[in-house]
Amino acid sequence: MLIPHREPDLEETMLPPGYQRILAAVRQAAGPVMARHVGEMLGVDVSVRAKLEPLRGRLVRLVDRGWLRKLPDGRFTTRL
């Protein structure tokens, strides 16, 4: 599995570099962020939906594996 499930003894260095950059961008934000804001932080052309959707998919994959948390309003934040 490319993106492992988060476990207490598993460090984020086990993630691929692109996913590490996404986690770092979410952490740097002042609070919960939308995928568009993360894309801006990473230099993705957010005006093109076809470039933003793959990033949103990566964010959701990190949520599914326990690395991030998705709020009901669609914003992403780090786990507590």
Side-chain angles (χ1 to χ4, degrees):
M1 182 180 304
L2 185 64
I3 309 302
H5 288 277
R6 184 175 184 210
E7 296 178 13
D9 61 337
L10 191 63
E11 296 186 25
E12 67 182 58
T13 56
M14 299 300 294
L15 295 172
Y19 286 89
Q20 290 179 34
R21 289 181 53 222
I22 292 170
L23 280 176
V26 173
R27 280 200 186 101
Q28 288 175 357
V33 293
M34 298 296 288
R36 178 174 300 278
H37 184 73
V38 175
E40 290 169 352
M41 295 172 73
L42 296 175
V44 174
D45 184 4
V46 296
S47 65
V48 178
R49 187 175 182 102
K51 301 222 180 211
L52 186 59
E53 288 307 314
L55 174 61
R56 188 182 322 278
R58 289 183 190 105
L59 285 161
V60 169
R61 192 169 297 122
L62 287 169
V63 169
D64 291 344
R65 303 283 165 56
W67 294 95
L68 291 177
R69 188 166 58 111
K70 186 174 181 182
L71 302 177
D73 64 0
R75 295 181 298 161
F76 296 90
T77 187
T78 56
R79 300 286 306 171
L80 296 177

